[in-house]
Amino acid sequence: MDAKQVTNNKTLILAWMMMMVCAGSAIAQKREKYEFKRNLPVYADSLIADFDFPLAWGNSDIKDFDEWRRVARQKVFDCMLAPPPAPSKGYDVKVLCEEQREGYKARKIEIRLSRYYTVPAYVLIPDGKGPFPAVNALHDHGAHLFIGKEKMIRPLACEDSLVVKDAEEWAANLYEGQFFGDFLARNGYVVFSADAPMWGERGQMEGPNRDRYDMIAGNMMMYGIDLSAYMTYDDIAGTEYLATMPEVDASRIGCTGCSMGAYRAWMLSALSDRIKVGTAVCWMVTTDEQMSFNYKRTENGGFANCFPGLRRWMDYPHVASLACPKAMLFINGSQDKLFPVPGVEKAFATMHETWKSQGADDRLETEIWDIPHSCPLKAQQRVLEFFRKHL
């Protein structure tokens, strides 16, 4: 071994030793006193104890329900920060590809939902003479950002084979092998599904990276806007587009989703008068259970469902109650480790109190099934039956 090789080897050894020392120091660098643990402030229980939700129905001084809904809805919009500016020349829809499926037509479109951006979406249109009832099918989170709309609707043949394979695997895992949107289309519904910001074709140039989501959401707030709110604003705008389609009966539009898609569904039902019926599978809870130290979770919601300051006014079920007296179906799982059953039960009870106060409790159905965090075939069938009844 010559002198140059010896020097190089020594350099590599020293670099490796320094790396190990730094790694050890990082592990050992813990102060005796601290203020955060398990991603929460140590005073989380005190924060929860101070929540009084002054704008919740029943807590608010406003006794007229319609007036309460108007004021409370505006508070939600205030917490959503600035909306994306509307497109200056309409939706400017472009059909990118189209194919005939068994009983319905599938289209991939690009739609301008804001002056800032266009959004890729799928639309399914049943064969026959419309107009048809319609559903905005809202995709899940799953910490999987490579696909979005493709989680709800089977990808068209124009898509890359990697997208098709990924979607099929996702459907097998969370939806028991069935594409929920295609199932609804086969049963006579126009179905719309768009990528949410950060998912699918609205993702990162560098490729999907869940760890970057929170950093990007924080950067968006530096512009005075909220990433989760943009998702909801887009869901509202997408529903407005759906109502303009000649194939759609604008008086019969519903929405559905699982997981984050369920959150999107009840938020959309609460904030859009276009939605007549909403169904949500595996997303409802109360903050006191979701954000406490009582359960061994590493994430308690995050930026995907965070509107700044909203918890100081209303809890999740209070916001969902803005949908009253619409027909709403909520299904949660007793084996769902993301949403503790005590929190689900309290949330359901809160919503029933609201619907009862308006003489509409027969239009709210809440169920806890013996399932994990998923949307199996029987849940999709239950949603279809609910739509048939109310939509």
Side-chain angles (χ1 to χ4, degrees):
M1 184 181 298
D2 60 30
K4 185 176 180 180
Q5 287 177 308
V6 171
T7 301
N8 288 342
N9 286 343
K10 285 182 178 180
T11 301
L12 288 172
I13 291 170
L14 284 171
W16 179 82
M17 291 175 65
M18 286 297 294
M19 185 176 67
M20 292 298 101
V21 168
C22 290
S25 298
I27 294 171
Q29 281 186 327
K30 289 170 35 173
R31 301 294 293 270
E32 186 175 342
K33 185 173 175 60
Y34 55 87
E35 197 165 322
F36 297 86
K37 66 177 182 179
R38 279 175 46 193
N39 300 335
L40 297 176
V42 295
Y43 46 86
D45 291 341
S46 296
L47 288 171
I48 289 169
D50 284 344
F51 282 149
D52 57 0
F53 304 120
L55 200 49
W57 175 247
N59 295 346
S60 170
D61 293 335
I62 303 172
K63 303 308 177 186
D64 178 82
F65 191 79
D66 289 339
E67 176 64 9
W68 167 79
R69 184 170 48 207
R70 184 190 68 78
V71 172
R73 182 184 279 184
Q74 186 56 55
K75 177 59 68 176
V76 176
F77 280 122
D78 290 345
C79 292
M80 289 168 66
L81 305 182
S88 54
K89 296 182 180 180
Y91 296 112
D92 189 25
V93 179
K94 297 177 181 177
V95 177
L96 303 181
C97 57
E98 184 175 285
E99 64 189 40
Q100 182 65 39
R101 295 182 177 176
E102 189 174 347
Y104 58 99
K105 183 180 298 180
R107 288 178 186 157
K108 181 178 182 179
I109 65 172
E110 187 175 81
I111 176 172
R112 181 164 292 282
L113 295 185
S114 167
R115 180 162 50 83
Y116 291 159
Y117 49 78
T118 57
V119 175
Y122 287 159
V123 181
L124 306 180
I125 303 171
D127 295 342
K129 185 179 179 181
F132 304 98
V135 175
N136 194 340
L138 305 152
H139 70 73
D140 60 72
H141 186 306
H144 186 72
L145 283 64
F146 181 63
I147 53 174
K149 59 191 177 298
E150 300 89 358
K151 294 179 177 183
M152 297 301 283
I153 293 176
R154 179 161 55 89
L156 277 71
C158 60
E159 301 290 6
D160 185 275
S161 60
L162 288 176
V163 171
V164 175
K165 182 175 183 293
D166 195 63
E168 289 173 347
E169 291 174 352
W170 194 258
N173 179 52
L174 195 65
Y175 297 92
E176 212 166 34
Q178 178 169 263
F179 285 95
F180 197 177
D182 292 75
F183 171 66
L184 292 171
R186 287 195 299 273
N187 282 278
Y189 295 84
V190 172
V191 181
F192 173 87
S193 190
D195 288 334
M198 290 292 293
W199 273 267
E201 295 174 278
R202 302 183 71 186
Q204 303 164 67
M205 181 186 73
E206 300 83 0
N209 184 339
R210 172 62 184 85
D211 294 340
R212 290 276 178 176
Y213 185 93
D214 295 343
M215 182 180 293
I216 290 172
N219 285 341
M220 294 285 273
M221 285 187 177
M222 298 297 285
Y223 296 109
I225 58 179
D226 180 77
L227 184 58
S228 178
Y230 262 44
M231 177 173 69
T232 300
Y233 281 125
D234 286 349
D235 291 342
I236 294 170
T239 305
E240 289 296 326
Y241 162 70
L242 193 54
T244 69
M245 291 181 59
E247 300 91 347
V248 170
D249 180 347
S251 68
R252 293 193 293 161
I253 300 177
C255 61
T256 192
C258 172
S259 189
M260 184 184 77
Y263 163 83
R264 295 168 67 189
W266 58 255
M267 282 296 304
L268 179 58
S269 300
L271 298 178
S272 171
D273 292 331
R274 286 287 186 190
I275 296 296
K276 306 305 179 185
V277 182
T279 67
V281 181
C282 288
W283 210 119
M284 181 45 69
V285 73
T286 52
T287 299
D288 61 343
E289 298 291 342
Q290 190 71 0
M291 298 299 291
S292 74
F293 286 109
N294 295 337
Y295 307 94
K296 295 180 179 179
R297 293 189 307 275
T298 58
E299 183 174 324
N300 297 277
F303 280 109
N305 53 74
C306 176
F307 296 168
L310 185 54
R311 290 292 81 76
R312 290 292 169 180
W313 299 97
M314 290 175 282
D315 202 356
Y316 299 116
H318 303 138
V319 177
S321 292
L322 290 168
C324 178
K326 295 176 184 178
M328 296 289 294
L329 169 66
F330 291 82
I331 299 171
N332 268 67
S334 60
Q335 301 175 43
D336 189 338
K337 293 183 170 41
L338 295 181
F339 299 101
V341 171
V344 175
E345 291 174 335
K346 283 191 279 189
F348 285 175
T350 295
M351 290 189 292
H352 276 290
E353 287 177 7
T354 304
W355 263 259
K356 282 178 185 175
S357 76
Q358 301 307 304
D361 197 46
D362 60 330
R363 297 177 63 78
L364 173 65
E365 299 187 32
T366 57
E367 302 168 0
I368 298 179
W369 293 13
D370 185 25
I371 57 172
H373 192 74
S374 63
C375 187
L377 297 179
K378 62 181 181 179
Q380 297 175 51
Q381 181 65 35
R382 178 74 177 90
V383 167
L384 174 63
E385 291 168 359
F386 194 79
F387 282 147
R388 282 175 170 167
K389 180 180 178 181
H390 294 286
L391 196 60

